[in-house]
Structures are given as C-alpha cells and as structure tokens.
Amino acid sequence: MPGTRGVPPDERADIALTNVDFHCHSTISDGVLTPADVARRAAANGVAALALTDHDELTGLATARAAADAAGMRFVDGVEISVTWGDATVHVVGLAIDPRNAALVAGLGSVRSRRTERAKEIAASLESIGIRGSLEGAYAHARNPALIGRTHFARFIAGAGFARDVANVFKHYLVKGRPGYVPQRGAALADAVGWIRDAGGLAVIAHPGRYGLPRLELERLVGEFREAGGAAIEIATGSHDSGHMAAFARLARETGLAASRGSDFHAPGEGIELGRAPKLPAALEPVWARLPA
Ligand code: AMP
Ligand code: MN
Ligand code: MN
Ligand code: MN
C-alpha cells in the first residue's frame, strides 16, 4: 500500500521524535487549501507524518495521499466527526480509517445532510436580523457543497463587513446566545467511535480544552469515550495553553489513553501553521505508536 495506513514498528520511535501533524483541514471541509496543497505545505513545513482530518468528509484523502507520497511524507487517512454529547458539540478525530468503509461512509453522509438542513436555519436566523443572502454567500465560500458549516458563514459575514474578521464573527454571531446560532446535530459519541473502529481506525477526542466542560463532565466524557473504544486524547493543539496541556496529559495517563498532536490548520495566517503545534509532553504514549502496521 502506498504511503501508510500504519507505520512499520521499527520506524515508530523515529516518528515520535519528529514532526507529526494529525489534525488539519482542506477545501473538502472548511479549510482554504486543496487537499494536495495541504499535503505539500505540510511537507515544506517539515512534517514527517500527516493526517488530513476534514469535518465529516473523506473525499480529500486520495489526492492528499498522492501529494504526500510525491513529497516523501507519510500520510494517514483521517476525519474529524461532529458529535452531539448532551448539549455539547464534541469533535472526534479518526486516524488510519479505511475511507471505503460502508458504516463510516453512511454515518458521515447522515451527519452532512443534517449540516445542510442546519445551514438553512442559520440563514433564516441571520435574515431575521437583516443579514440577507447568507445561504448563497456561505455556499460561495464552500468549495465542496456537500459540506457546509459555520466557517463558511463566518467568511461571508466578515466579507460583507458585519465583523472585522472571522474570529470576530465567532464573538458576535453563530455562537450560543447570538444571531445565527443553530446547534449542530452530530453523531452520537458511541456511533462515531464505532464507525472509526469498524473502519480499522483509532478514535481521538479532539481539542478537549475547547468544550468549556467542567472537570467532572470532561471526566464523564472521557469515560464514555473509553468505554466506546476510544484510543487517545489530543493534547498538543493550537487551542490548548500550557495549563490545558498539563491537565489533559494527566488525564491521559490516569485513563490509559494515548496522546495526539495536531495543528488544526485551516488557512495560512488563521490559527497555527501545519506542523507547528506544541510538542507532546514527555512520558505520554503517542497515538502513532498504536497505528496499525
Ligand atoms: P461547525 O462544525 O459548522 O459548527 O463549525 C465549526 C468550525 O467553526 C470549527 O471547526 C472552526 O473551524 C470554526 N470555529 C469555531 N469557533 C471559532 C472561533 N472562535 N474562531 C475561528 N473559527 C472558529
Ligand atoms: Mn473547522
Ligand atoms: Mn474541531
Ligand atoms: Mn479541526
């Protein structure tokens, strides 16, 4: 098999010492670079092993893999699944999944169709405060019409001058208590983890510091995730400060979960660059040590 679903055991330690980026986005979801450009940029940034993890989509993986192969960079098929857990939206990354797996493909299809419905509701809410044409405007920013999300609306809202930039849109619109907020209707946690496992992959709780969950709730989430067969927690990501990293490193050690690292790159100059997430703290088992060979 070209590239890698897994990594030969004798190379795993080397990868642990090099630059792994297991979380990023392309035009197939809400990133601005094509899958091939994401792979080429990661390689140019010194990334040794990359997973493309578009939201609820798999269709960028083949071209990203081909570009990674051409650049001599290892590539792992990934996805970031939207999960609804109680009132919270939680993201679960799948690594080394088989993109042809029927359960995974069908499950993601149902999540995407609920996104399409939500987009109409977001547009109606924005219309009610006088922001017109946002559905068409959001789709104009969506290079893949099968996957529409808040980032596409945010780019339209900022472009139309209602906010200074995308980060500011997420302060005044599209978030709880603000116009344009419609909760996501994602997969159930156990379903998302189940699809990933069914597809031969490893499930990772993405950026746990972003959910604003109290400590006990977070422990309950991690407990349910583990019960469902989850493998790892994302420790090193752009949205975690050093306090988050220390707390989640402790949680990973206590629960026997492995640790992952990813930039969550979406666009040049927005958030952090490919391959530039902080290093994993020492004494954690990296999730790449668990990848199938
Ligand atoms: P959705 O999955 O449609 O609910 O959209 C979530 C996406 O919005 C995330 O994956 C981010 O790309 C983006 N996003 C959420 N919050 C922010 C923020 N504060 N600043 C910039 N982008 C954000
Ligand atoms: Mn995103
Ligand atoms: Mn996410
Ligand atoms: Mn992401």
Side-chain angles (χ1 to χ4, degrees):
M1 188 180 290
T4 179
R5 274 199 67 226
V7 175
D10 58 332
E11 292 181 28
R12 289 180 188 171
D14 287 349
I15 287 181
L17 296 173
T18 58
N19 193 341
V20 172
D21 192 335
F22 278 176
H23 187 157
C24 64
H25 299 273
S26 75
T27 46
I28 294 299
S29 64
D30 57 359
V32 302
L33 302 183
T34 63
D37 283 344
V38 169
R40 283 191 280 265
R41 189 178 182 92
N45 282 2
V47 171
L50 179 76
L52 177 66
T53 56
D54 275 310
H55 297 286
D56 306 316
E57 258 287 18
L58 304 167
T59 55
L61 296 173
T63 54
R65 174 180 290 281
D69 285 351
M73 178 180 63
R74 293 199 171 279
F75 186 79
V76 171
D77 289 313
V79 65
E80 182 175 20
I81 305 182
S82 307
V83 163
T84 298
W85 188 73
D87 292 337
T89 295
V90 169
H91 288 173
V92 175
V93 162
L95 297 174
I97 40 95
D98 174 0
R100 293 155 309 185
N101 178 270
L104 178 63
V105 167
L108 296 180
S110 68
V111 174
R112 284 196 304 272
S113 68
R114 290 195 297 274
R115 279 181 170 278
T116 302
E117 290 307 307
R118 179 180 69 150
K120 295 174 198 158
E121 297 167 36
I122 291 174
S125 167
L126 292 172
E127 179 99 29
S128 74
I129 59 148
I131 300 181
R132 290 176 216 293
S134 70
L135 192 61
E136 297 72 18
Y139 274 104
H141 286 273
R143 297 272 296 275
N144 171 15
L147 192 290
I148 189 79
R150 284 185 295 164
T151 308
H152 306 116
F153 280 91
R155 293 196 175 118
F156 164 75
I157 291 168
F162 292 101
R164 188 155 28 93
D165 54 24
V166 164
N168 253 281
V169 174
F170 280 102
K171 292 196 176 88
H172 302 290
Y173 306 95
L174 309 177
V175 292
K176 209 166 195 164
R178 299 289 183 165
Y181 177 68
V182 179
Q184 170 118 253
R185 295 177 288 268
L189 179 65
D191 286 346
V193 175
W195 300 335
I196 291 166
R197 283 166 56 91
D198 198 69
L202 298 174
V204 185
I205 296 191
H207 45 61
R210 275 207 5 209
Y211 306 134
L213 293 171
R215 177 86 198 171
L216 279 177
E217 284 290 282
L218 199 62
E219 286 176 5
R220 198 161 66 80
L221 170 68
V222 169
E224 285 184 25
F225 173 74
R226 232 176 131 260
E227 282 286 299
I233 304 179
E234 195 173 70
I235 306 284
T237 151
S239 47
H240 284 173
D241 59 24
S242 56
H244 284 131
M245 296 230 320
F248 297 129
R250 199 173 342 108
L251 192 56
R253 276 195 298 269
E254 283 167 7
T255 55
L257 290 168
S260 192
R261 172 181 191 256
S263 60
D264 206 359
F265 172 81
H266 284 73
E270 212 183 277
I272 63 166
E273 254 301 329
L274 288 160
R276 301 283 187 269
K279 288 215 166 71
L280 271 192
L284 290 176
E285 182 196 357
V287 68
W288 42 96
R290 293 194 189 178
L291 289 176

